[in-house]
Amino acid sequence: MDEGLWVYLAASPLSWLSVTLFVWIIALKIARALPANPLVNPVLLSVVTIACMLSVFHIRYQTYFAGAQFIHFLLGPATVALGIPLYEKLCLVRANLIPMVVALFAGSLTAVTSTIYLGRFFGFDQTVIASLAPKSVTAAVAMAISSGLHGDPALTAAVVIMAGITGAVVVTPLMNAMKIRDYSARGFSVGLASHGIGTARAYSVDPVAGLFSGLAMGLNALVTSLIVHLFL
C-alpha cells in the first residue's frame, strides 16, 4: 500500500471506527462458535487484536480513540437502556431486594477497601491507589471518581477493562464450581465486580442474569462513588 495512502487512512476517524466494528463482528462470531469456552470472550479478543494492530503499525492510542470515540459515546445510552428489562422484571427485583442490598454494600466495600489496603501494603503512591480504587465501576463513572481523587483516569480505564474482562472470563466456571445455580445471584455478582463487560457476558448466558448484572452495575456506581471518599 502506498505510504501516503496508509498515513491518510490511519488518521481518518472513519477508518478506526470501521476497524473497531469489523474486529468486534469477527470476535463475536468466534465467541458464538465456541460458546463453552469462557476464554473466547469477544471483548478480550477485540482488545487484544486492536492493541496488536496499534503496536505493529505504530499508531498512537490518541489517534485511534479520535476515530473510535463514537462507540465510547454510546456507552451512556447503552447503560441507560439497561433500565428497560429492569422495568419489565420489577416484581422479581422486589422479591430479591434485601439480599441485593446486603450484597451491594458488602461487594462495594470489599472491592474498594481491598484495593486501597493492598495498594498501601505494596507501597503504591496515592495517585496509583486513587486510580485503582474504582476498578469495579463502569468506565465513565470510574474515570470521574479517579479524576476527582487526583488519580490517573487513563490508568483507571485500563484497570476497569481488565477487571471487566477477567470477571467475564471466570464468572461461569467459578459459579459452576461453587454450585451457584440461581441466575439472579450469578448476574448480580458479575455486575458488581465486572460492570458492563460482565453484564454483556451475563446477558449472553441468561436474560435474568443480565438483568441483575445491569442492576448491580448501576447501583455499584452510586455506592462506590460514596464509599471511596471515606477511605481516600
Side-chain angles (χ1 to χ4, degrees), residues 1-107:
M1 179 182 293
D2 180 77
E3 183 178 351
L5 178 60
W6 169 248
V7 171
Y8 169 77
L9 290 175
S12 171
L14 182 59
S15 296
W16 287 115
L17 177 61
S18 301
V19 167
T20 302
L21 294 176
F22 177 76
V23 170
W24 171 254
I25 291 171
I26 298 300
L28 202 58
K29 288 182 179 295
I30 294 173
R32 287 173 176 171
L34 301 169
N37 190 342
L39 292 176
V40 187
N41 182 279
V43 177
L44 176 60
L45 294 176
S46 299
V47 169
V48 171
T49 301
I50 292 176
C52 290
M53 291 178 64
L54 298 182
S55 177
V56 169
F57 294 110
H58 305 290
I59 304 298
R60 296 172 66 248
Y61 176 76
Q62 290 79 359
T63 302
Y64 164 76
F65 186 74
Q69 61 181 333
F70 180 69
I71 297 176
H72 177 76
F73 167 77
L74 291 177
L75 282 174
T79 302
V80 174
L82 293 173
I84 297 175
L86 172 61
Y87 175 78
E88 294 174 344
K89 299 285 186 179
L90 198 55
C91 291
L92 181 59
V93 173
R94 287 174 177 169
N96 291 275
L97 188 59
I98 294 177
M100 284 195 307
V101 171
V102 174
L104 172 65
F105 282 93

Side-chain angles (χ1 to χ4, degrees), residues 72 75 79 134-146 153 156-158 160-161 195-196 217:
H72 177 76
L75 282 174
T79 302
K135 69 182 186 331
S136 296
V137 180
T138 189
V141 177
M143 292 171 71
I145 293 173
S146 173
T156 301
V160 165
I161 292 172
H195 42 82
M217 178 181 68

